Amino acid sequence: MIALGTGGIERIVALGAHCDDIAIGAGGSLLTLCDQNPGVRVDVLVLSGGGTEREAEERAALAAFCRGADVEVTVLKLPDGRFPAHWEEAKNGLEELRRRTDPDLVLSPRTADAHQDHRGLATLVPTVFRTHLQLEYEIAKWDGDLGKACAYVPLSAERAEEKVRLLQEHYASQRHRPWYDREAFLGLARIRGIECGQRYAEAFDLKKLTLDLSSKG
């Protein structure tokens, strides 16, 4: 397995259908990116939860996951579970964000995700961020939709534990859910770590990747 890097990252776009999606799917990667690129700009767009306790949770959580970064969080008010009927509002939100930034990396849900909100957002992303590196994160759920990943971000044991700690600390509204626990988060990270020869990892789908194979002096 060859390890490929992205080079310097100056701007990141992180997209979620719901508050906590980004942190669950890519929280470890955000911790790594922000630690390795101090002052990086992170523009976050979440489609639901605006004006509720979940928005407050999301803002506090992403400030912790993106420490040292310049973070701007936008949380819209689309109804949970009804995104296919609000396609235009979602598309407008993405296009408005695109006018404000030209990111080096886009983090978004998987196109193959079984949840209609996640899947709907994922299908919109390449219509707006057409030439950008897009990593699609995964979220474990009862649907059993996890597949074979094609890209991995290794996490140290300390970073994996930090991700779980922040998830438990900041999303109090989700602690009652049977799938929202340390074993689930670390278990998936451990499996993905095995797949890429590491202790822990986050896994992503990757639609397109342009390789520069020229030799560098």
Side-chain angles (χ1 to χ4, degrees):
M1 179 179 290
I2 299 176
L4 300 177
T6 59
I9 296 287
E10 296 181 358
R11 287 182 172 270
I12 300 168
V13 160
L15 304 170
H18 316 99
C19 297
D20 78 15
D21 285 354
I22 297 167
I24 291 173
S29 299
L30 280 175
L31 285 167
T32 300
L33 285 163
C34 293
D35 280 351
Q36 295 299 314
N37 300 275
V40 63
R41 171 74 176 193
V42 182
D43 287 287
V44 176
L45 175 64
V46 181
L47 297 186
S48 69
T52 72
E53 66 171 338
R54 300 214 63 199
E55 178 178 356
E57 289 180 341
E58 184 79 333
R59 292 184 180 278
L62 290 176
F65 277 100
C66 302
R67 59 178 176 242
D70 177 15
V71 185
E72 181 171 334
V73 179
T74 301
V75 184
L76 303 182
K77 299 180 179 181
L78 275 66
D80 189 353
R82 298 291 186 272
F83 289 2
H86 295 266
W87 183 91
E88 184 174 1
E89 296 168 68
K91 180 72 177 289
N92 287 342
L94 285 172
E95 289 181 337
E96 196 283 326
L97 174 58
R98 177 65 181 91
R99 285 190 287 269
R100 293 190 278 111
T101 186
D102 185 22
D104 303 301
L105 172 64
V106 178
L107 299 171
S108 70
R110 296 168 60 237
T111 309
D113 197 297
H115 193 298
Q116 70 273 11
D117 293 352
H118 301 171
R119 185 172 64 251
L121 172 57
T123 58
L124 283 175
V125 175
T127 72
V128 178
F129 295 94
R130 292 182 176 275
T131 60
H132 301 81
L133 175 61
Q134 179 190 356
L135 293 179
E136 296 185 336
Y137 56 77
E138 61 182 356
I139 297 176
K141 63 182 72 65
W142 74 272
D143 306 81
D145 62 356
L146 297 178
K148 183 176 181 180
C150 59
Y152 299 86
V153 175
L155 303 176
S156 66
E158 293 76 17
R159 179 129 305 155
E161 291 282 2
E162 182 180 16
K163 172 184 174 177
V164 173
R165 178 180 62 79
L166 292 176
L167 285 171
Q168 295 287 2
E169 177 181 338
H170 289 286
Y171 294 105
S173 66
Q174 304 304 298
R175 292 176 193 152
H176 69 284
R177 299 185 182 278
W179 52 266
Y180 197 91
D181 61 34
R182 180 177 183 274
E183 288 180 304
F185 298 135
L186 282 183
L188 179 57
R190 180 70 184 106
I191 290 171
R192 295 312 195 186
I194 291 171
E195 293 174 354
C196 66
Q198 303 291 328
R199 181 64 183 173
Y200 296 104
E202 288 178 337
F204 300 87
D205 283 352
L206 178 62
K207 291 294 185 294
K208 289 185 178 182
L209 178 66
T210 300
L211 298 175
D212 181 358
L213 300 181
S214 61
S215 62
K216 302 294 185 180

